[in-house]
Amino acid sequence: MSVNYQQYYLHQRPHGPATDSDVRVRAVEVDGLNDGQLLIKNEYFSLDPAIRGWMSDEPSYMPPIELNAVIRSSTVGTVVESRHPDFAAGDVVYGLNGWEEYSVSDGYFLTKVPKDNRFPLHYYLSAFGAVGLTAYFGITDAAELKAGDTLLMSAAAGAVGSLGGQLAKSMGCRVVGLAGSDEKCQWLIDGLGFDAAINYKTESGRLNAAIAAVCPDGVDVYFDNVGGEILDAALLNINSNARIIFCGSISTYNAAEPVPGPYNWWQVLAKSATVKGFLVSNYFPRFEEGALAVAALLDDGKITFKDEIIDGFENTLSGFNKLFDGSNKGKLLLKL
Amino acid sequence: MSVNYQQYYLHQRPHGPATDSDVRVRAVEVDGLNDGQLLIKNEYFSLDPAIRGWMSDEPSYMPPIELNAVIRSSTVGTVVESRHPDFAAGDVVYGLNGWEEYSVSDGYFLTKVPKDNRFPLHYYLSAFGAVGLTAYFGITDAAELKAGDTLLMSAAAGAVGSLGGQLAKSMGCRVVGLAGSDEKCQWLIDGLGFDAAINYKTESGRLNAAIAAVCPDGVDVYFDNVGGEILDAALLNINSNARIIFCGSISTYNAAEPVPGPYNWWQVLAKSATVKGFLVSNYFPRFEEGALAVAALLDDGKITFKDEIIDGFENTLSGFNKLFDGSNKGKLLLKL
């Protein structure tokens, strides 16, 4: 089978938000597969803040996207042709592929959607994918939460934050979220059951006091997805022996210059806090357990999950940049 | 009994190194004790980097020294008069008092030197005091070291660093130290058995490569006493699941302006490292166990401990400032 398709590739490393000068589209032709390869027709791309990190060449937990290579991304799609023994045409699969209409894969890190799947397909990039499992293992394991603890969640209306906050509520914690609009804050409280929410935009410059006002007993766990000013304000409100789950730093991903760490770094010592760099990949042996647990919580109505789906391959890059201006809510996906 | 004595007090909060405009000397007269009080004639002051932190009003693990109050410090001395039921004249005691020739104490946090003490008196401010116990519990407990691990120690010729490095060697670790002169580096290797040492002054600007050269298998534990450029370079050399013991940040204590946290903060996430804010006070229930263990290691010749003793009350402040220019070696003390 021969296919022609469109693909986003990294032309140059971005300084600041990725533009269409940095990330370009080109036509690709695939004419036949080698032994061990399969061809996937992608149906959804995952649009994740982490992808912006992979466009940079700062040392990180996986190699940067190489110049001229496809933009790396989780996708879910259908196998249209296979010369791989473990996959057949018609299988629905998800894994790390790229922003492209079709992907040629060698099967590594590719997982089949169960034949008896009863969930929307894109859940395999959200609730059951990296973000769902990040929230699940971050909250139920790394954070060492116990009932009655106060959890402060940044980017609380985002994919990880909205799920993580609900998981902590289901564990009997007090949960306070930070989000970028009053409407999102209302959704956290009314829609997801958060105890309080702070609009970090209107409270900018006085976040320390805003957090203190709604966390009168201090913060036992701060789950950080953003870094920057919010991290600094959170550090002034942590209790002794607090845990800080360092899951992301979205406020700094688009920075063109090196960004300093938290100014209130000293508080980590002063409160004998623990900062844990969190990578969901460390939980790989427990992924199936996690996905089943998240599915059961969804089935029981204990958590809800919101995906924001953008339509159309041509909107991938502009959609991706919504992650960084605070305008998206829940897990962001691109539907082809 | 009536005594007249000299005392250092905090006139104003320092910006930068503490000067004699900030920390002044005055005469104090004590004429008789109240019930429950005792009078100590101090023999040694402890000169610790932490004291500079207490002169600032940044929130920390204990309240700042109040303006016009004596400079808080551990001391060891002899009880000359007591109206406290647990102490008698002639008892030798150590605890948190101040930079003053005599201290009036209510007995809180005051410990007696054992009658059968066989060590020099000032050891109760060094090997058996906060710095010795910091090294002991930091290395044997918080760092989660195992034989074969590589430990990188900053301020390695300092009080905590020199003892901590030796403790890690006794546990079968590879130990690399950072110090401020070639002579100190040689002492770490020849005198204390470190595997390698780096002069952070001559290597400034290329510390990342200097660490990489002597830690070819990466750093499993970075024990941080200094912050700043050294912390940033260390972060570029940590292994996955590294532990960073955040014990101090001496490079920033004299800063007049807010100092940012590490620029390479992202590496904590990228390596799924754990940063532990370390306060020896959290180990209070195990202090006696720790002091006995350190004493046994000294007796067995497994560790040596170097005190640097400055003579004369009038040299307290200038001696204290030696802590910040890299010129002192081992635990710094003032002998009255």
Side-chain angles (χ1 to χ4, degrees):
Chain A
M1 181 192 277
S2 165
V3 292
N4 287 280
Y5 60 88
Q6 303 276 303
Q7 165 186 89
Y8 286 87
Y9 70 100
L10 187 63
H11 178 68
Q12 60 190 17
R13 303 206 180 276
H15 292 273
T19 67
D20 53 15
S21 302
D22 306 319
V23 175
R24 297 185 176 182
V25 177
R26 65 184 166 200
V28 179
E29 181 177 0
V30 169
D31 193 9
L33 298 173
N34 297 328
D35 267 352
Q37 290 186 325
L38 62 149
L39 183 69
I40 303 160
K41 185 176 194 301
N42 288 315
E43 302 189 29
Y44 292 93
F45 301 155
S46 186
L47 304 183
D48 299 301
I51 296 170
R52 176 63 185 82
W54 304 337
M55 294 177 188
S56 303
D57 54 6
E58 187 182 12
S60 197
Y61 54 91
M62 58 167 70
I65 298 169
E66 285 179 37
L67 291 179
N68 219 35
V70 64
I71 301 298
R72 185 194 295 146
S73 163
S74 296
T75 73
V76 60
T78 304
V79 177
V80 290
E81 185 183 351
S82 177
R83 296 184 61 185
H84 189 293
D86 299 338
F87 297 92
D91 285 348
V92 183
V93 293
Y94 59 103
L96 211 52
N97 294 300
W99 287 352
E100 52 191 354
E101 293 170 305
Y102 287 79
S103 291
V104 176
S105 168
D106 51 16
Y108 284 119
F109 293 113
L110 208 60
T111 307
K112 290 183 207 183
V113 170
K115 296 287 185 197
D116 63 349
N117 168 49
R118 64 190 189 283
F119 294 99
L121 201 53
H122 55 81
Y123 273 40
Y124 289 87
L125 298 184
S126 56
F128 310 146
V131 298
L133 297 174
T134 293
Y136 181 75
F137 290 113
I139 290 293
T140 66
D141 190 84
E144 300 174 58
L145 281 161
K146 57 185 188 307
D149 278 355
T150 295
L151 169 77
L152 181 69
M153 175 70 77
S154 62
V160 170
S162 56
L163 188 51
Q166 294 176 81
L167 287 165
K169 281 302 298 178
S170 79
M171 295 165 70
C173 298
R174 186 158 193 283
V175 176
V176 174
L178 291 137
S181 74
D182 288 344
E183 183 248 333
K184 285 183 183 179
C185 287
Q186 211 56 53
W187 174 64
L188 292 176
I189 294 170
D190 298 340
L192 302 185
F194 281 46
D195 296 282
I198 298 166
N199 181 334
Y200 70 84
K201 290 186 176 171
T202 55
E203 297 296 322
S204 179
R206 53 186 180 201
L207 276 173
N208 175 15
I211 295 169
V214 291
C215 299
D217 299 322
V219 171
D220 299 299
V221 172
Y222 172 55
F223 197 108
D224 189 25
N225 296 301
V226 303
E229 182 195 352
I230 297 177
L231 170 58
D232 264 321
L235 285 171
L236 292 177
N237 285 280
I238 55 173
N239 289 328
S240 285
N241 302 309
R243 282 81 66 203
I244 296 156
I245 306 301
F246 180 9
C247 182
S249 184
I250 195 170
S251 74
T252 65
Y253 292 168
N254 276 329
E257 301 296 323
V259 177
Y263 281 83
N264 295 323
W265 170 242
W266 177 255
Q267 297 305 311
V268 173
L269 187 153
K271 299 295 171 58
S272 56
T274 300
V275 181
K276 296 185 182 184
F278 184 87
L279 288 178
V280 72
S281 51
N282 288 345
Y283 288 87
F284 184 71
R286 296 177 58 189
F287 274 11
E288 190 177 347
E289 168 202 339
L292 289 170
V294 172
L297 288 161
L298 284 168
D299 277 342
D300 294 349
K302 293 206 173 143
I303 57 174
T304 61
F305 198 78
K306 188 178 184 71
D307 288 322
E308 178 175 346
I309 299 174
I310 295 168
D311 255 300
F313 177 86
E314 67 280 10
N315 298 317
T316 302
L317 185 61
S318 58
F320 173 70
N321 280 324
K322 289 184 66 173
L323 288 166
F324 302 98
D325 64 11
S327 70
N328 87 294
K329 199 163 75 178
K331 174 69 184 110
L332 196 66
L333 299 160
L334 191 288
K335 185 176 193 312
L336 287 110
Chain B
M1 182 191 278
S2 165
V3 292
N4 287 279
Y5 60 89
Q6 303 276 303
Q7 163 186 90
Y8 287 86
Y9 70 100
L10 187 62
H11 177 69
Q12 60 190 17
R13 302 203 181 277
H15 292 274
T19 68
D20 53 15
S21 302
D22 306 319
V23 174
R24 297 186 177 182
V25 176
R26 65 184 166 200
V28 179
E29 182 178 358
V30 169
D31 192 8
L33 298 174
N34 297 328
D35 266 352
Q37 290 186 326
L38 62 148
L39 183 69
I40 302 161
K41 184 174 195 300
N42 288 315
E43 301 189 28
Y44 291 93
F45 301 156
S46 187
L47 305 183
D48 298 301
I51 296 171
R52 177 62 185 81
W54 303 337
M55 293 178 189
S56 303
D57 54 5
E58 187 182 13
S60 197
Y61 53 91
M62 59 167 70
I65 299 169
E66 287 180 37
L67 291 179
N68 218 35
V70 63
I71 301 299
R72 185 194 295 145
S73 163
S74 295
T75 73
V76 60
T78 304
V79 177
V80 289
E81 185 182 351
S82 177
R83 296 184 61 184
H84 189 293
D86 298 339
F87 297 93
D91 284 348
V92 183
V93 294
Y94 58 103
L96 212 51
N97 294 301
W99 287 351
E100 51 191 356
E101 293 170 305
Y102 288 79
S103 292
V104 175
S105 168
D106 52 15
Y108 284 119
F109 293 114
L110 207 60
T111 306
K112 289 185 208 181
V113 170
K115 296 286 184 198
D116 63 347
N117 169 48
R118 64 189 188 283
F119 295 100
L121 202 53
H122 55 81
Y123 273 39
Y124 290 87
L125 299 183
S126 57
F128 310 146
V131 297
L133 298 174
T134 294
Y136 182 75
F137 291 113
I139 289 294
T140 65
D141 190 85
E144 300 174 58
L145 280 162
K146 56 184 189 305
D149 277 355
T150 295
L151 169 76
L152 181 68
M153 174 69 77
S154 62
V160 170
S162 57
L163 188 52
Q166 293 176 80
L167 288 165
K169 281 302 298 179
S170 79
M171 295 165 70
C173 299
R174 187 159 192 283
V175 176
V176 173
L178 291 137
S181 74
D182 288 344
E183 184 248 330
K184 285 184 183 179
C185 288
Q186 210 56 51
W187 173 64
L188 292 176
I189 295 170
D190 298 339
L192 303 185
F194 280 46
D195 295 283
I198 298 166
N199 181 334
Y200 70 84
K201 289 186 175 171
T202 55
E203 297 297 321
S204 179
R206 53 186 181 201
L207 277 173
N208 175 15
I211 295 169
V214 290
C215 300
D217 299 324
V219 171
D220 299 299
V221 172
Y222 172 54
F223 197 108
D224 188 25
N225 297 301
V226 302
E229 182 195 353
I230 297 176
L231 170 58
D232 264 321
L235 285 171
L236 292 177
N237 284 281
I238 55 174
N239 289 328
S240 285
N241 303 310
R243 283 81 66 203
I244 295 155
I245 305 303
F246 180 7
C247 183
S249 185
I250 195 170
S251 74
T252 65
Y253 292 168
N254 276 328
E257 299 297 323
V259 177
Y263 282 82
N264 295 324
W265 168 243
W266 177 256
Q267 296 305 312
V268 173
L269 188 153
K271 299 295 170 58
S272 56
T274 300
V275 181
K276 297 186 182 185
F278 184 86
L279 288 177
V280 71
S281 51
N282 288 345
Y283 288 86
F284 183 70
R286 295 178 59 190
F287 273 12
E288 190 178 347
E289 168 202 337
L292 289 171
V294 173
L297 288 162
L298 283 168
D299 278 341
D300 294 350
K302 292 207 172 140
I303 57 174
T304 61
F305 197 77
K306 189 179 183 71
D307 288 322
E308 179 176 346
I309 299 174
I310 294 168
D311 256 300
F313 178 85
E314 67 280 9
N315 297 318
T316 302
L317 185 61
S318 58
F320 174 70
N321 279 324
K322 288 185 67 174
L323 288 166
F324 302 98
D325 64 11
S327 70
N328 87 295
K329 199 163 76 178
K331 174 69 184 108
L332 196 65
L333 299 160
L334 191 289
K335 185 176 193 310
L336 287 108

